Amino acid sequence: MLHGRFGKTTTAPYLEAHVAFPRLGLRGLVSFLVDTGADGTVLMPADSSNLGVRFGSLDNPSIAYGVGGAAKAFNERAVLAFTDNRHVYSYVVDMEHLAPTTRSQQLPSLLGRDILNRWRVAVDYSKRRVNFTPRTWDLRQKT
């Protein structure tokens, strides 16, 4: 079981993931806001910058749609790995990178339904607990 946390100021659930971009040769840890309203997982500009992503190196331009309207984005193949300190659950996704704007620099990266639909999610706001039980994952270690 994976254990998330609640934001100190937002009281929203978050979960950390190890993120790798094989084509770019980049990897690092990202704290994702759990967003059941997001179709897919989105990396926001602050986290892209922390990982060393140069937007000039991104291919596959797209438009991301959300509550704030439309925004320029880029799709990039990524591997997301989550651990409960016993197992590692890994997923290969086409992740959107939101292009930097003054407004988007303030937003957290989003963990969307492309991952969440593969899990059982239990949120208990009164006890400030959020737990995830993976039901499927993409990469399995062979023993």
Side-chain angles (χ1 to χ4, degrees), residues 18-28 32 41 43 51 53 57-62 73-81 90-97 114-115 118 138-139:
H18 294 274
V19 180
F21 298 101
R23 186 182 73 82
L24 303 174
L26 300 172
R27 66 177 182 244
F32 287 96
T41 298
L43 198 66
L51 293 173
V53 174
S57 66
L58 296 176
D59 298 331
N60 303 316
S62 65
F74 297 88
N75 285 312
E76 185 69 37
R77 179 68 43 106
V79 178
L80 279 76
S90 299
Y91 304 87
V92 178
V93 297
D94 288 325
M95 186 184 298
E96 282 191 317
H97 291 255
D114 55 343
I115 301 295
R118 300 165 166 219
D138 294 340
L139 305 173

Side-chain angles (χ1 to χ4, degrees), residues 23-94:
R23 186 182 73 82
L24 303 174
L26 300 172
R27 66 177 182 244
L29 192 63
V30 174
S31 183
F32 287 96
L33 172 66
V34 177
D35 187 350
T36 59
D39 291 335
T41 298
V42 179
L43 198 66
M44 294 298 180
D47 288 320
S48 292
S49 177
N50 289 340
L51 293 173
V53 174
R54 293 186 327 270
F55 279 86
S57 66
L58 296 176
D59 298 331
N60 303 316
S62 65
I63 302 293
Y65 296 96
V67 174
K72 184 177 180 180
F74 297 88
N75 285 312
E76 185 69 37
R77 179 68 43 106
V79 178
L80 279 76
F82 304 86
T83 184
D84 59 8
N85 293 322
R86 185 173 172 193
H87 298 96
V88 176
Y89 305 95
S90 299
Y91 304 87
V92 178
V93 297
D94 288 325

